Amino acid sequence: MKNKERRPGGKPPAGTTARADRAQGGKPGGKPAKAKPAGANYDRPPRRDDQKSRPAKLSAPSYNARDAQVETVATEPVRPLMLRSGERPAERVPLILESSGAGDFHLIDSGDGLKLEQYGPYRIVRPEAQALWPRALPAHVWDNATAIFTGDTDEDGMGRWRFPSEALGETWPLSLLGVDFLGRFTAFRHVGVFPEQIAHWAWMKSQIEQAGRPLKVLNLFGYTGVASLVAAAAGAEVTHVDASKKAIGWARENQSLSRLDKAPIRWICEDAMKFILREERRGNQYDIILTDPPKFGRGPNGEVWHLFEHLPLMLDICRELLSPKAHGLVLTAYSIRASFYSIHELMRETMRGKRGLVESGELVIREAGLDGKTPGRALSTSLFSRWVPK
């Protein structure tokens, strides 16, 4: 799912996805590994409006089809983008969703294009282009980090980890919102979780626990499964979709670590767009949908995913997959040269006639100091837009 994908422009090499970092065999663990194929999802009789439709520029991209054992499916027909009518939902902008940390994570300090984070017992330094200000803590604190990522400063670029004191294993245990999982040093700087999304996960957890009935959750581009496990632990029936076989394997391992082996989770290793097109035809619906697509991706057969071209259709299909008593549709976008208003207006157009509220803005993480309790500056990480029924 962070592409989180915030990254500069520049088309990644064929076969990779803006969030390639998420896929590695370890990115699921950050295995210093091979890049995740385009769009890797790490790291959706249908209802239709009686409106005119216009053709979509999509050839059902397979942004991640990796080396996974994916069920063979015929080429999906192009599905037109519905032109919606009716009033647009109410809006709430800008909304800044802030996380100061949770469980084993908090942001210690940031500045000079870097961030210093605490992940369980490890203090990690990684590049962060958004950190334009000077560091607040002295150099010796940064110099004593457990692991430092070095290499390509482009978030899509590969690099390596340096361990100043002692060599560390590829993985280590972590916990967030009551869910246990593995952190992993990947070749693309990520560690298997995007903590800024704690705000979305906490919202989802609350919705599930207060629903009074089992909710059905669809997690597209689910990556290592932390969000899916948070949902399942709260009592939801979860469908997790990611085109990376390695990401799915990592997610299953996290499921065991969280002692949720018997939880109702479907792990689907498949191209997300192909999956949701089929779900729409089957008439399947969900109460909460999370989608965290990459900026750019190229599939194994030359299919191309481009956020600006294909996102409208993806959201349109997701709308059709929402149940009559749905609780929300959440979109997170990383590494794109756009204002949150771009995805905000797209979400409002997509949800015309659906009533409810569209709230959009940015996800930020607040510095918490060495003790995890001293508020500092807020670091912007991504854009988001969320439709809720009221």
Side-chain angles (χ1 to χ4, degrees):
M1 257 343 234
K2 275 145 105 296
N3 312 312
K4 274 150 205 358
E5 278 60 82
R6 1 168 146 130
R7 359 251 174 198
K11 171 165 146 184
T16 66
T17 128
R19 146 185 8 187
D21 28 287
R22 302 197 190 189
Q24 286 34 83
K27 170 126 44 9
K31 62 175 201 280
K34 36 185 183 185
K36 159 181 199 164
N41 303 324
Y42 266 12
D43 173 341
R44 263 147 334 246
R47 310 180 334 258
R48 280 188 165 71
D49 294 349
D50 294 322
Q51 318 292 343
K52 295 180 181 179
S53 61
R54 66 175 180 268
K57 303 176 181 178
L58 180 67
S59 57
S62 206
Y63 14 102
N64 285 63
R66 321 197 138 243
D67 43 356
Q69 295 176 344
V70 180
E71 98 182 67
T72 301
V73 180
T75 302
E76 303 288 347
V78 173
R79 186 272 210 191
L81 179 65
M82 309 305 293
L83 292 182
R84 308 289 178 174
S85 65
E87 293 296 319
R88 298 196 298 167
E91 62 181 330
R92 181 186 177 194
V93 290
L95 176 61
I96 307 301
L97 295 182
E98 178 181 310
S99 297
S100 58
D104 289 340
F105 166 82
H106 72 268
L107 175 63
I108 298 172
D109 190 20
S110 61
D112 299 327
L114 298 168
K115 57 186 175 183
L116 176 62
E117 306 161 288
Q118 189 81 44
Y119 283 97
Y122 298 159
R123 288 182 183 172
I124 296 172
V125 175
R126 297 188 289 167
E128 179 49 73
Q130 301 286 347
L132 303 176
W133 44 84
R135 307 178 200 182
L137 296 178
H140 71 82
V141 173
W142 287 73
D143 293 341
N144 287 330
T146 310
I148 300 172
F149 184 87
T150 60
D152 197 324
T153 55
D154 175 355
E155 196 151 346
D156 288 331
M158 293 181 67
R160 65 186 183 83
W161 290 90
R162 179 167 62 83
F163 306 107
S165 300
E166 60 179 326
L168 300 176
E170 183 184 29
T171 64
W172 73 99
L174 289 173
S175 179
L176 287 178
L177 299 181
V179 166
D180 296 326
F181 60 99
L182 289 177
R184 180 173 271 118
F185 294 112
T186 79
F188 291 87
R189 86 182 58 188
H190 294 306
V191 296
V193 63
F194 296 90
E196 61 271 22
Q197 295 218 18
I198 289 171
H200 285 328
W201 302 341
W203 167 83
M204 174 182 66
K205 184 174 184 289
S206 175
Q207 294 294 311
I208 295 169
E209 292 175 341
Q210 297 174 24
R213 64 183 175 89
L215 297 188
K216 294 182 65 178
V217 173
L218 174 60
N219 185 13
L220 297 175
F221 307 93
Y223 190 32
T224 60
V226 179
S228 296
L229 295 174
V230 168
E237 298 176 9
V238 183
T239 297
H240 173 109
V241 182
D242 195 294
S244 166
K245 181 179 179 181
K246 291 179 179 178
I248 293 292
W250 188 357
R252 284 181 175 280
E253 188 174 4
N254 288 337
Q255 179 181 21
S256 294
L257 287 174
S258 292
R259 299 166 297 286
L260 292 169
D261 300 88
K262 296 183 179 180
I265 304 175
R266 287 197 301 157
W267 302 104
I268 308 295
C269 188
E270 187 178 359
D271 173 277
M273 184 67 83
K274 287 183 177 179
F275 176 78
I276 61 174
L277 282 166
R278 260 201 332 284
E279 288 292 272
E280 181 184 29
R281 292 198 300 273
R282 292 167 173 166
N284 290 335
Q285 297 182 328
Y286 299 86
D287 299 302
I288 294 176
I289 299 177
L290 305 179
T291 181
D292 180 15
K295 177 178 63 176
F296 175 87
R298 189 181 300 280
N301 299 312
E303 306 93 337
V304 172
W305 162 270
H306 193 291
L307 188 73
F308 288 100
E309 292 181 20
H310 302 142
L311 182 59
L313 180 57
M314 171 166 277
L315 284 183
D316 195 56
I317 298 171
C318 285
R319 170 183 167 142
E320 294 301 310
L321 297 183
L322 288 172
S323 70
K325 295 184 178 180
H327 285 239
L329 168 58
V330 181
L331 165 69
T332 305
Y334 290 84
S335 206
I336 63 173
R337 294 179 176 179
S339 161
F340 72 83
Y341 258 112
S342 299
I343 58 175
H344 173 72
E345 295 295 1
L346 170 61
M347 184 69 85
R348 292 188 76 207
E349 285 297 320
T350 299
M351 304 307 288
R352 271 186 182 277
K354 195 81 171 173
R355 297 202 177 107
L357 170 71
V358 172
E359 43 194 16
S360 310
E362 298 189 21
L363 296 181
V364 304
I365 298 179
R366 179 76 59 180
E367 295 172 344
L370 284 169
D371 60 2
K373 300 177 182 179
T374 306
R377 288 120 1 149
L379 180 65
S380 176
T381 63
S382 60
L383 314 179
F384 81 91
S385 186
R386 179 172 68 193
W387 172 84
V388 293
K390 59 181 179 179

